[in-house]
Amino acid sequence: MGNRIFRSKKDSKDIGSKSKRNSSIGRSSQRKMSAEEEYIHRQALSMAIHQHQLSQRFDGSMSRRIGSTSSRRKSLPESVVTTNGNKQDSEFLENLQTKNIVLVHGEGFGAWCWYKNVALLEEAGMFPIAIDLMGSGIDRTDPDSISTLADYAKPLIDYLYNLPEEEKVILVGHSCGGASISYALEHCPKKISKAIFLCATMVLDGQRPFDVFSEELGSAEMFMQEAQFLVHGNGKDKPPTSLKFDKQQMKGLYFNQTPSKDVALATVSMRSIPLGPIMEKVSLSPEKYGTGRRFYIQTLDDHALSPDVQEKLVRENPPQGVFKIKGSDHCPFFSKPQSLHKILLEIAQIQ
């Protein structure tokens, strides 16, 4: 098995050499970029199908991670511009507290969903790693067996506990992954340099991750009684254990701006969402969670977590900084990867 790595530059010379010699430089460059993008999509889709097939056979528990295994430094492309319009110094890496970015997926997703940003962050000289939470991606655990946030976030907590004593990371949590990084802030505060909530459940003490979505999905009580996509893993006469959206529901909630190729990738890769972790009230303390440096990234064309709800989250639980991505649905790592990438680099530079 081992770690999975996606790199946007892989085999680019072979792909670019297919352009006709008599093509103009501009058209040749465009074709090269298109060919590289096509290659990345094919690679990711093939990997996701393979992982999906494996996940159907797995039992037990093992986390999988996608990320950089290379320590080679790469300079930041000169064209990278921050969201406030200022060019970033290519030497900015020298001043960073940490280059390590841990990408934490949201409900139903897995480490695979970050493949574009893993490549972009590696190219910028950062050291990204994407983790499968329990029962997600190609982790072997049955989602219906996961009843607590502690179980669900265990791969992340184990990773943080095993870091060298003085090493810190930047956490990025997407959607319900926000509850997982909040849990990490509470249990491993000294290992976290910054926590970035990406259209995420930045819950308050005593709040459930589900509560953040209640305006779109209704109350928890109504949802548990009426939802047609609930899975009763312990039998129909027992409470539901997970939920699974169909393709049209996923497209409507998550992918209203996502390219069709990435929708196809998600369709074969997303797994059932354990209900226990999102229905659990999260305990957060001022002494631990409250000392963390939090940032929030809003997505302004989001159908799963509306801009109004995201605005309410930052108003009720103010982070250190707020950033916005225009034209992004609930999955900016698909719909706006370059914009997300630039914001992550900008936050990384904040002292």
Side-chain angles (χ1 to χ4, degrees):
M1 298 287 184
N3 290 348
R4 305 296 190 188
I5 304 173
F6 294 105
R7 287 191 177 87
S8 61
K9 294 294 184 183
K10 185 178 180 181
D11 295 333
S12 59
K13 291 183 180 180
D14 293 336
I15 297 172
S17 65
K18 295 180 181 179
S19 303
K20 293 183 179 180
R21 292 182 179 179
N22 60 352
S23 299
S24 66
I25 295 177
R27 291 182 179 177
S28 176
S29 177
Q30 289 177 351
R31 276 198 295 271
K32 182 178 178 180
M33 291 176 64
S34 177
E36 287 182 2
E37 183 178 339
E38 183 70 25
Y39 175 83
I40 293 170
H41 274 290
R42 288 202 309 269
Q43 184 187 43
L45 185 58
S46 175
M47 183 71 71
I49 292 172
H50 175 63
Q51 292 177 343
H52 176 72
Q53 291 169 340
L54 287 175
S55 72
Q56 303 307 304
R57 300 197 301 270
F58 282 168
D59 53 22
S61 174
M62 180 174 10
S63 63
R64 289 289 182 267
R65 296 191 284 268
I66 302 173
S68 174
T69 57
S70 171
S71 60
R72 292 176 297 175
R73 177 174 298 174
K74 304 175 184 179
S75 60
L76 184 68
E78 293 180 359
S79 60
V80 172
V81 178
T82 67
T83 53
N84 59 16
N86 298 321
K87 281 197 173 184
Q88 293 174 331
D89 186 349
S90 61
E91 300 300 319
F92 87 104
L93 292 173
E94 301 296 335
N95 300 318
L96 293 183
Q97 183 183 27
T98 180
K99 302 174 191 175
N100 303 313
I101 296 186
V102 179
L103 305 167
V104 181
H105 62 81
E107 69 284 356
F109 292 88
W112 53 268
C113 72
W114 298 103
Y115 78 97
K116 291 181 181 180
N117 281 102
V118 165
L120 290 168
L121 289 166
E122 282 185 337
E123 288 175 7
M126 304 295 284
F127 303 141
I129 186 167
I131 292 180
D132 279 329
L133 298 178
M134 191 169 286
S136 306
I138 59 169
D139 179 83
R140 297 178 175 187
T141 311
D142 180 356
D144 290 314
S145 69
I146 301 167
S147 58
T148 67
L149 182 57
D151 288 340
Y152 186 56
K154 188 176 186 300
L156 173 60
I157 301 302
D158 288 349
Y159 174 79
L160 294 174
Y161 275 147
N162 289 325
L163 287 172
E165 186 175 351
E166 300 300 321
E167 190 167 335
K168 291 189 175 186
V169 301
I170 297 171
L171 290 186
V172 183
H174 169 244
S175 197
C176 282
S180 296
I181 68 172
S182 294
Y183 184 84
L185 278 170
E186 180 67 20
H187 290 82
C188 309
K190 294 182 179 180
K191 294 295 186 181
I192 301 165
S193 171
K194 300 181 181 80
I196 304 173
F197 293 77
L198 175 60
C199 51
T201 52
M202 190 169 63
V203 295
L204 297 165
D205 177 45
Q207 189 176 24
R208 298 176 296 190
F210 180 87
D211 294 339
V212 176
F213 291 92
S214 60
E215 289 192 20
E216 276 76 18
L217 299 177
S219 70
E221 292 73 19
M222 290 179 59
F223 179 83
M224 295 291 280
Q225 291 176 5
E226 300 178 8
Q228 300 299 310
F229 32 80
L230 293 173
V231 178
H232 295 259
N234 297 324
K236 285 290 185 181
D237 58 333
K238 301 292 178 61
T241 51
S242 66
L243 62 99
K244 178 74 172 178
F245 295 119
D246 63 31
K247 184 176 180 179
Q248 290 306 311
Q249 289 167 330
M250 285 192 292
K251 287 181 69 174
L253 283 172
Y254 297 120
F255 307 128
N256 48 294
Q257 296 294 337
T258 292
S260 58
K261 294 176 183 178
D262 287 317
V263 176
L265 172 64
T267 300
V268 299
S269 304
M270 291 184 74
R271 294 175 64 184
S272 296
I273 303 165
L275 273 176
I278 65 174
M279 293 297 182
E280 179 181 323
K281 292 183 179 180
V282 184
S283 296
L284 304 171
S285 68
E287 298 78 17
K288 294 181 178 180
Y289 170 85
T291 62
R293 301 181 67 191
R294 293 177 292 111
F295 298 82
Y296 200 95
I297 302 176
Q298 298 178 341
T299 43
L300 302 186
D301 196 11
D302 194 325
H303 290 180
L305 201 62
S306 73
D308 288 343
V309 171
Q310 294 181 53
E311 191 64 38
K312 181 181 178 183
L313 289 176
V314 301
R315 187 171 61 249
E316 293 180 346
N317 191 11
Q320 182 175 334
V322 178
F323 298 77
K324 300 181 180 183
I325 304 179
K326 294 180 179 179
S328 175
D329 56 20
H330 196 58
C331 300
F333 40 76
F334 289 151
S335 59
K336 294 287 183 179
Q338 288 283 356
S339 297
L340 174 58
H341 167 66
K342 292 174 185 178
I343 292 175
L344 293 179
L345 291 180
E346 185 170 352
I347 295 175
Q349 292 180 83
I350 297 174
Q351 298 297 318

